[in-house]
Amino acid sequence: MKSNLLAWIQEGNITVPTLLFSEYRNLNLSEVELVLLLNILTFIESGNEFPTPDELSARMTISISECNDMLRRLIQRGFIEIIDEYSHEGIRFEKYSVKPLWERLVEQFFKNNKNNKETEKKGEETDVYTCFEKEFGRPLSPFECESLGMWMDDDHHDPVIIKAALREAVMSGKLNFRYIDRILFEWKKNGIKTIEQAKIHGRKFRQKQTQKVPPRDESHQTSVPFYNWLEQ
């Protein structure tokens, strides 16, 4: 029994990307096709790069004929290919290549990543629209929705920056799209792309504005001026 277990261990292991198990369904592979591909990988790993349908079906619950048909379909669908190579002696031989499978898997990974980013972007866009409608206290007009959509399409205008411009307009008591558009224009012109940069920029301006305010009677309450972006 020990010798049998040792022989089993010595057969070796194969490395299979976890992504294959999570994505084979999205690649339109059945469980049987997946197992067939894993068996091909196992044979290749052990040095047999062109296992026959007889050898493959012997490890599975499908007949030789079914295995043969399945291999043909996998080749036609671009999951495996048969390539020609030559030995050191110049003898031509055939072998299976699973490179197409890995290429399909990589494509699926990037597709998923793109879909996730698009879903995330749509969520951010919805959040921005919600913030604007909340601050305006009403649904946005078609023109306002179009303006907001144009800001969102601008690579420079991250949703966080757009919401920061909205807050700036609220603080300045000038809640209108023309004012917000001017803020975004000024930030873009000054290379402002983060919240921190926007805060620093606003702080510097207010400090300058405070210095320009003429002395007032101490009996009057001093107010802090806001950035009037429309006057820029």
Side-chain angles (χ1 to χ4, degrees):
M1 185 174 178
K2 287 184 179 179
S3 60
N4 290 337
L5 180 59
L6 181 60
W8 173 69
I9 293 174
Q10 288 177 333
E11 284 187 4
N13 303 297
I14 61 168
T15 302
V16 181
T18 305
L19 191 63
L20 179 59
F21 290 97
S22 62
E23 295 298 331
Y24 76 90
R25 184 178 178 183
N26 292 327
L27 293 174
N28 294 319
L29 286 169
S30 67
E31 280 78 7
V32 180
E33 289 172 329
L34 175 62
V35 173
L36 178 56
L37 288 169
L38 292 176
N39 273 301
I40 291 174
L41 285 169
T42 303
F43 273 109
I44 292 174
E45 195 72 20
S46 64
N48 183 355
E49 296 181 302
F50 197 53
T52 65
D54 303 55
E55 292 172 317
L56 290 166
S57 66
R59 293 187 173 187
M60 301 177 65
T61 58
I62 58 175
S63 66
I64 297 173
S65 176
E66 290 172 325
C67 183
N68 202 35
D69 290 340
M70 199 173 295
L71 287 169
R72 185 174 62 254
R73 288 197 299 271
L74 288 173
I75 292 172
Q76 291 172 344
R77 292 165 57 198
F79 287 103
I80 56 174
E81 62 180 343
I82 298 175
I83 59 177
D84 293 332
E85 288 203 355
Y86 291 86
S87 65
H88 294 297
E89 295 78 20
I91 301 173
R92 185 179 69 85
F93 65 92
E94 294 179 324
K95 71 175 189 176
Y96 283 118
S97 171
V98 293
K99 183 180 178 181
L101 172 63
W102 304 141
E103 289 175 344
R104 295 281 293 274
L105 199 58
V106 169
E107 288 174 4
Q108 184 63 35
F109 172 78
F110 283 113
K111 181 180 178 181
N112 288 345
N113 195 42
K114 180 181 178 182
N115 291 339
N116 289 338
K117 286 184 177 180
E118 288 178 351
T119 300
E120 184 179 342
K121 183 179 178 181
K122 287 180 181 178
E124 289 176 346
E125 290 178 355
T126 301
D127 183 48
V128 172
Y129 279 93
T130 301
C131 287
F132 269 72
E133 290 184 339
K134 182 179 178 181
E135 292 295 346
F136 277 77
R138 58 171 174 76
L140 299 181
S141 69
F143 174 77
E144 290 170 338
C145 287
E146 184 179 354
S147 297
L148 189 49
M150 290 174 63
W151 297 339
M152 296 290 289
D153 290 337
D154 191 323
D155 291 336
H156 185 91
H157 295 151
D158 185 271
V160 176
I161 289 294
I162 295 174
K163 286 191 283 187
L166 171 64
R167 284 195 294 271
E168 182 75 28
V170 172
M171 290 173 60
S172 300
K174 299 182 181 294
L175 190 59
N176 63 74
F177 269 71
R178 181 167 170 253
Y179 193 77
I180 297 170
D181 186 62
R182 185 65 186 183
I183 294 173
L184 291 172
F185 174 79
E186 289 295 327
W187 285 355
K188 183 176 182 178
K189 187 173 71 173
N190 288 279
I192 294 171
K193 296 182 180 180
T194 68
I195 290 293
E196 189 57 35
Q197 289 173 335
K199 287 180 179 178
I200 293 172
H201 188 73
R203 212 160 34 232
K204 286 180 178 179
F205 177 83
R206 291 190 177 91
Q207 287 174 354
K208 290 180 181 178
Q209 289 293 94
T210 303
Q211 293 171 1
K212 293 178 182 179
V213 175
R216 299 181 61 182
D217 193 304
E218 292 183 359
S219 61
H220 292 84
Q221 184 177 0
T222 302
S223 60
V224 179
F226 285 103
Y227 196 155
N228 189 352
W229 302 89
L230 293 177
E231 294 179 357
Q232 298 305 306

